[in-house]
Amino acid sequence: MHITSAVRTPLVSGGKTYADVTEDVCRQVEGKPTREWTIAFTISALVLVYGSACVFYTWWEGLGVWGLNKTVGWAWDITNFVWWVGIGHAGTLISAILLLFRQKWRTSVNRAAEAMTIFAVVCAAMFIFMHMGRPWMAYWALPLPNTFGSLWVNFKSPLVWDVFAISTYFTVSLVFWYMGLVPDLATIRDRARSKVSRYIYGALSLGWNGSAKTWARYEYMSLILAGISTPLVLSVHTIVSMDFATSVIPGWHTTIFPPYFVAGAIFSGFAMVQNLMLIIRVVFKLEDYITTEHIESMNKIITLTGSIVGVAYITEFFIAWYSGSEFESYAFINRASGPYWWAYWAMMTCNVISPQLFWSKTIRTSVVWTFVLSVVVNIGMWFERFVIIVTSLHRDYLPSSWAMFHPTLFDISDYIFSFGLFFTLFLLFAKFLPVVNMAEVKAIIKSSSEKLPQSVSGVAKGERVTNPTFNKNVD
Amino acid sequence: MASVHAIPSLDEQYEFTAEAKRRLIIGGVVGVALVAIGSFLLASGVGEHAHEAVQGHGLSEGHEGAHGHYTWMTRFWANVWVNSVYFTGIAVAGMFFLSYNYLAQAGWSSVIKRIPEAMPAFLPVMGIIMLATFLIAGHDLFHWTHAELYVKGGEGYDPIIAGKKGFLNTPFFLGRMIFYFVSWYFLWRILRNYSLQEDLNGGTEYYYKSMKFGVVFLVIFAVTSSTAAWDLIMSIDTHWFSTMFGWYTLASWHVAGLATMTLVVVMLKEQGYLQAVNQSHLHDLGKFIFAFSIFWTYVWFAQFMLIYYANLPEETIYYRERFSGYGGIYLAPFFVNLFLNFVFPFLVLMTRDAKRTTVLLKVACWGVLVGHYFDFYTNIMPGTVGEHGGFGPIEFGMILIFACAFIWSVSTQLTKANLIAKNHPLLEEALHHDI
């Protein structure tokens, strides 16, 4: 018997029955696309088409279309890559780490957050492929048998570690997300009215029959995958940070980078989850499942991780002075007061100062504030990567090599491409798959509802009651 | 498993028996005797000849410690310092654990809350000892306290250290040290006070207040844990610097604190106390130690690997000294550290059953506790005593003295309140904890 203390804030409101959960979540999947969805999808698809054309041109013409120069050899490309990978981290944190910590509020946000992770990693990977210039040679990043000449990946390079870390992470995240979907897909299969959807969802649900045995395996598998994902998610941004920290470039080589990058990644990821969930809960009318308590909890994590990042900034700045190394000191003073001062202060304001507003309960429970600050945080986290990458590079050891970076239309458009891709994928997910994990939400109904209906296993209030689906051969 | 759900009585009064006191006093006396013997041996030069033989292989030119006036007293004070840093960390980790459990609204830990709550009472003792040590032996332990380093044009002028003067100067350093101990201790007093009041009066008022002050502590500790690590440990190797060092020390303190807590819980249970603590609570504690020993390894490795990889002389010297400096006497502690703090708990606590078995939990906790002593030993000793380091009666004696005093302090605190915080609003969840 599990007890839930009275001081805990309820996680489900509206006196939902099990059937209500199914109805409320499946409605989007089974119904016709709403107008809002259609508009959003059209815009995303158009952006994707435009972005794809620009990416194609980048490949066709070569990376010279970007604004890179001999001094600043890495700029938006890697900034965008790190930014997207970082965003992905929140999904794993919610699904894996919060599962290990038995946080019940994760149940209604984990599905969408995990989907976000997968799409964010796809977007990140796109920048690697873009940066390769010849994406059809991408398999050269793998240690394949040496039949292509004298090429062999350099295992001493963190870029190769990235290949392994991110591909493993992507695979595990995908498996975790998909396994979590299986019981819900079976629910949709069982409710399906058309032969096509019954076939598709039937195939996707892998013969799930809901027996005690399958549930036992489901829970066992969730824990194992959570145990694997937790070190994996840490390793990914750790290795991303090592792309920089293993070098001897002032501003890049600093030992705090691995945990600080991980904290920053979770920070930006939660901001993105907030943005997506705040829209979903309104458009899909899921306010009873994604409550103020959920928003508040995520804001607390944003404040925590934002503050960790803040401590890391201050530590770096302090140690740069403390070290007595003139190169280190210069790198940091130049960040704050050099030609890229505006990027540095944008980063400081957005990442360190703005999340501190969440100390106010009014602000952290406000939907509007949360949405705006989440956007601000992600702007800040983009600037953080830009600051780290470009300001550390643009002042080379030789003043004759000093340069500035100017983005071209293709730097910008290739970044826009990733938004088109991300939102197209996410909207497809939101339409065709259940955005909330029905099975797991049902598991907390009894313990965490604001008020329970007379019978939690009672019938749903939705339209399906008057038009039952158990008679599947009706049409 | 009906037994899991049978809730035993919550009224438990810990008795600090005369027998336990006697043992601790004997332990302390033995410790003092060992330190005295060790000091005598060092003062009369026993064992020093061995060091002279290896001195030539040491990296003494790369080392910045003030060995010009090494006496056996330096080793004595260095031992006081290692133990003080170690037990300060364990004590404050109790407060850290309490605070983040309040912030996270953790339910399961409410049943063992009195144990971490008993640990920070040792902080004033540590604060006084550390301040006294710094005032008496600061010049032996901290190279940067020597005035000649800052005299421009002087023989001993060191431009790098002189550049750090804004931070590393005696008044500011003392001020910071006092601030750490005062702020940590008084915030603990507030939380402890609320906790005892809650026992008497009940209600949720104290719970919410504790949450608030727990957060205040976390904010202060977020900064002071790092600065304390720079002050108390990193500044010993005055030239050296690493941005990771603060979090690395925090990870070390935290996991040592968790191991202490778990050990106390298990021992109390074996004495018939803490009836309400079941295997699920032990399992959770085991998971914490497992996870945070990996976390410690993560920050340890990240710091080591990045310095190793970049191979900048001003950074790698730190590991060079521990690998091959001073005749290689720190190589063994260096690897013992890694073994006891990572390999050992990782393998011992890997399975679910191990985390639920008190014997294995105890083995893992002792491993971690010994391991983190080695952690602070390898961080502090090379920079203070250099080639004069070792493991003799003085080391073992000093550990005994500090450990007995710490156990005494924790035991005394445990007697001052019911062993279970019986009016904690989340206690009911913990009593039915079953995973």
Side-chain angles (χ1 to χ4, degrees):
Chain A
M1 178 178 66
H2 278 275
I3 300 275
T4 302
S5 168
V7 293
R8 293 211 188 271
T9 317
L11 299 172
V12 182
S13 56
K16 298 294 181 186
T17 63
Y18 294 142
D20 285 332
V21 178
T22 312
E23 276 304 322
D24 292 344
V25 177
C26 288
R27 196 190 307 129
Q28 299 306 324
V29 183
E30 292 165 348
K32 289 249 176 323
T34 58
R35 208 165 59 92
E36 292 97 326
W37 185 88
T38 316
I39 294 169
F41 185 77
T42 312
I43 295 170
S44 304
L46 288 173
V47 172
L48 179 61
V49 168
Y50 166 74
S52 303
C54 294
V55 170
F56 181 76
Y57 187 77
T58 307
W59 277 330
W60 182 262
E61 198 62 23
L63 296 189
V65 299
W66 283 347
L68 302 175
N69 53 54
K70 267 195 263 179
T71 306
V72 186
W74 266 5
W76 278 41
D77 40 12
I78 303 300
T79 301
N80 299 339
F81 160 72
V82 179
W83 189 73
W84 277 116
V85 173
I87 284 173
H89 278 50
T92 319
L93 187 109
I94 291 173
S95 56
I97 300 182
L98 295 186
L99 175 72
L100 296 182
F101 279 109
R102 297 189 295 265
Q103 297 294 303
K104 287 180 178 171
W105 60 270
R106 60 176 272 287
T107 52
S108 53
V109 289
N110 60 358
R111 170 75 42 77
E114 284 172 48
M116 178 204 75
T117 292
I118 291 161
F119 305 143
V121 174
V122 168
C123 289
M126 286 311 297
F127 285 97
I128 300 300
F129 290 121
M130 282 180 219
H131 205 244
M132 283 175 172
R134 298 175 179 82
W136 53 94
M137 301 274 198
Y139 63 90
W140 283 20
L142 301 170
L144 292 168
N146 197 356
T147 51
F148 310 114
S150 57
L151 279 171
W152 186 244
V153 292
N154 179 7
F155 284 108
K156 289 181 195 164
S157 164
L159 297 176
V160 174
W161 310 343
D162 262 344
V163 173
F164 293 104
I166 293 174
S167 53
T168 313
Y169 175 57
F170 179 76
T171 314
V172 172
S173 298
L174 192 65
V175 171
F176 202 172
W177 176 70
Y178 189 74
M179 289 297 136
L181 264 170
V182 167
D184 284 3
L185 290 171
T187 303
I188 296 171
R189 169 197 68 192
D190 295 345
R191 291 164 53 94
R193 289 177 171 181
S194 80
K195 282 209 170 95
V196 176
S197 56
R198 200 178 315 148
Y199 179 77
I200 292 172
Y201 288 105
L204 290 175
S205 56
L206 307 176
W208 176 270
N209 59 17
S211 70
K213 191 88 183 172
T214 52
W215 277 112
R217 286 183 181 133
Y218 174 88
E219 299 213 340
Y220 199 57
M221 179 254 6
S222 298
L223 272 180
I224 290 176
L225 283 178
I228 296 173
S229 303
T230 303
L232 254 182
V233 70
L234 261 79
S235 80
V236 169
H237 234 58
T238 295
I239 289 170
V240 168
S241 82
M242 286 173 182
D243 293 344
F244 309 101
T246 49
S247 71
V248 291
I249 293 172
W252 283 12
H253 174 69
T254 170
T255 50
I256 206 171
F257 255 30
Y260 142 53
F261 263 51
V262 173
I266 294 166
F267 177 56
S268 67
F270 264 88
M272 187 60 104
V273 173
Q274 289 281 32
N275 283 338
L276 295 173
M277 292 325 276
L278 289 176
I279 295 172
I280 284 176
R281 77 193 280 271
V282 175
V283 175
F284 288 2
K285 301 186 180 60
L286 293 171
E287 286 98 337
D288 284 330
Y289 304 99
I290 301 157
T291 64
T292 315
E293 171 69 8
H294 293 85
I295 296 168
E296 196 183 345
S297 297
M298 288 196 270
N299 282 337
K300 284 177 184 168
I301 293 182
I302 288 176
T303 314
L304 174 71
T305 46
S307 305
I308 293 175
V309 168
V311 170
Y313 289 164
I314 297 164
T315 302
E316 276 192 312
F317 220 105
F318 172 78
I319 298 286
W321 168 80
Y322 177 89
S323 70
S325 159
E326 54 189 310
F327 303 107
E328 283 290 328
S329 311
Y330 174 75
F332 281 88
I333 290 167
N334 181 49
R335 269 184 195 178
S337 59
Y340 281 112
W341 65 271
W342 47 272
Y344 180 82
W345 290 106
M347 158 187 115
M348 280 308 238
T349 316
C350 297
N351 285 353
V352 182
I353 299 165
S354 74
Q356 303 305 328
L357 292 172
F358 284 138
W359 285 99
S360 151
K361 182 145 178 128
T362 321
I363 292 179
R364 72 169 180 264
T365 52
S366 147
V367 170
V368 177
W369 271 105
T370 303
F371 192 85
V372 171
L373 285 176
S374 296
V375 173
V376 166
V377 162
N378 263 322
I379 293 172
M381 285 307 290
W382 190 88
F383 272 110
E384 182 201 285
R385 279 60 175 257
F386 180 79
V387 165
I388 292 173
I389 293 161
V390 174
T391 68
S392 304
L393 288 176
H394 85 126
R395 287 288 178 261
D396 212 337
Y397 287 100
L398 285 176
S400 59
S401 310
W402 288 9
M404 296 292 284
F405 173 77
H406 301 287
T408 65
L409 177 69
F410 289 95
D411 282 296
I412 299 164
S413 302
D414 290 350
Y415 184 38
I416 290 173
F417 158 80
S418 66
F419 281 97
L421 180 62
F422 179 79
F423 284 106
T424 305
L425 289 171
F426 195 83
L427 286 163
L428 284 173
F429 153 75
K431 173 63 196 78
F432 295 105
L433 295 170
V435 287
V436 167
N437 191 328
M438 296 185 271
E440 292 192 0
V441 168
K442 286 173 192 170
I444 64 157
I445 285 272
K446 273 191 181 167
S447 68
S448 306
S449 279
E450 191 181 26
K451 61 173 194 291
L452 281 173
Q454 283 196 326
S455 162
V456 279
S457 44
V459 290
K461 299 187 226 10
E463 65 200 65
R464 285 285 184 106
V465 180
T466 47
N467 185 11
T469 50
F470 44 79
N471 185 5
K472 288 188 189 117
N473 298 322
V474 73
D475 44 17
Chain B
M1 292 277 281
S3 61
V4 173
H5 303 303
I7 306 302
S9 159
L10 297 180
D11 288 310
E12 285 182 6
Q13 189 58 48
Y14 176 71
E15 195 196 347
F16 188 15
T17 60
E19 172 62 19
K21 286 181 184 165
R22 201 174 60 87
R23 281 191 201 161
L24 287 176
I25 290 170
I26 293 174
V29 170
V30 170
V32 171
L34 281 173
V35 170
I37 295 168
S39 304
F40 174 76
L41 290 176
L42 289 174
S44 52
V46 177
E48 276 302 294
H49 60 278
H51 294 307
E52 276 155 33
V54 296
Q55 219 166 348
H57 306 291
L59 287 170
S60 37
E61 70 280 0
H63 181 64
E64 57 205 25
H67 292 313
H69 48 265
Y70 171 84
T71 66
W72 66 271
M73 286 295 285
T74 307
R75 181 152 158 192
F76 173 86
W77 290 118
N79 268 292
V80 174
W81 199 258
V82 169
N83 283 285
S84 302
V85 168
Y86 179 69
F87 283 100
T88 298
I90 289 176
V92 78
M95 181 64 186
F96 184 47
F97 183 85
L98 271 186
S99 303
Y100 69 66
N101 274 276
Y102 270 115
L103 176 63
Q105 299 168 21
W108 71 275
S109 61
S110 57
V111 70
I112 55 142
K113 148 172 194 286
R114 283 281 139 85
I115 285 88
E117 202 175 287
M119 286 156 47
F122 200 50
L123 282 172
V125 181
M126 288 293 87
I128 289 163
I129 290 179
M130 287 188 107
L131 277 174
T133 308
F134 181 75
L135 291 173
I136 298 167
H139 289 315
D140 290 341
L141 301 179
F142 293 94
H143 180 54
W144 58 263
T145 56
H146 294 267
E148 71 268 16
L149 297 167
Y150 305 93
V151 183
K152 213 164 190 169
E155 205 182 319
Y157 180 66
D158 186 324
I160 298 277
I161 295 178
K164 305 185 189 209
K165 201 181 176 188
F167 187 72
L168 293 181
N169 59 74
T170 303
F172 192 22
F173 185 89
L174 283 173
R176 286 197 302 269
M177 260 179 85
I178 293 167
F179 178 75
Y180 302 150
F181 284 98
V182 169
S183 60
W184 297 345
Y185 180 68
F186 279 96
L187 282 162
W188 170 73
R189 292 287 310 191
I190 293 173
L191 241 61
R192 173 73 166 172
N193 202 13
Y194 287 151
S195 178
L196 298 181
Q197 293 284 314
E198 190 181 67
D199 265 13
L200 298 175
N201 306 327
T204 53
E205 176 198 355
Y206 300 107
Y207 173 70
Y208 290 113
K209 280 187 186 167
S210 305
M211 200 184 272
K212 202 189 305 175
F213 280 95
V215 170
V216 172
F217 172 78
L218 289 176
V219 170
I220 290 178
F221 197 57
V223 178
T224 53
S225 58
S226 283
T227 53
W230 303 337
D231 285 340
L232 307 180
I233 312 172
M234 198 169 85
S235 78
I236 290 172
D237 295 278
T238 314
H239 278 174
W240 188 73
F241 56 89
S242 166
T243 42
M244 181 74 105
F245 204 80
W247 291 354
Y248 160 65
T249 304
L250 175 63
S252 193
W253 279 353
H254 181 219
V255 74
L258 289 172
T260 309
M261 253 176 260
T262 310
L263 211 49
V264 176
V265 170
V266 170
M267 284 169 158
L268 286 173
K269 239 186 122 47
E270 284 175 348
Q271 291 173 27
Y273 297 106
L274 294 179
Q275 292 288 320
V277 171
N278 61 35
Q279 281 197 326
S280 297
H281 300 105
L282 296 179
H283 188 179
D284 276 344
L285 284 167
K287 282 189 271 189
F288 258 82
I289 298 172
F290 181 75
F292 283 99
S293 58
I294 296 172
F295 180 75
W296 172 86
T297 316
Y298 165 65
V299 286
W300 182 94
F301 181 74
Q303 175 173 280
F304 173 78
M305 199 279 280
L306 289 174
I307 288 175
Y308 166 84
Y309 197 113
N311 202 14
L312 299 172
E314 65 266 35
E315 293 180 358
T316 41
I317 183 66
Y318 189 78
Y319 289 107
R320 205 68 251 175
E321 281 171 1
R322 280 147 185 84
F323 262 59
S324 54
Y326 312 118
I329 56 169
Y330 293 106
L331 187 63
F334 183 87
F335 283 108
V336 167
N337 176 23
L338 205 52
F339 176 79
L340 285 178
N341 291 328
F342 173 55
V343 182
F344 189 70
F346 184 73
L347 295 179
V348 172
L349 292 178
M350 176 76 86
T351 67
R352 173 187 160 93
D353 287 344
K355 297 185 203 81
R356 292 172 162 252
T357 309
T358 48
V359 178
L360 289 177
L361 267 183
K362 279 201 283 187
V363 166
C365 287
W366 279 116
V368 166
L369 283 175
V370 174
H372 283 281
Y373 172 81
F374 274 96
D375 195 11
F376 293 111
Y377 181 93
T378 35
N379 285 336
I380 291 171
M381 287 299 185
T384 49
V385 297
E387 69 270 27
H388 305 283
F391 286 97
I394 198 166
E395 275 74 23
F396 292 104
M398 201 65 84
I399 298 168
L400 257 182
I401 297 170
F402 274 81
C404 289
F406 177 73
I407 296 168
W408 188 288
S409 164
V410 170
S411 305
T412 314
Q413 287 301 317
L414 287 178
T415 60
K416 288 188 179 170
N418 194 40
L419 268 187
I420 288 167
K422 54 187 175 185
N423 286 332
H424 193 291
L426 298 172
L427 183 64
E428 202 60 28
E429 291 185 6
L431 298 179
H432 295 273
H433 191 39
D434 182 15
I435 49 171

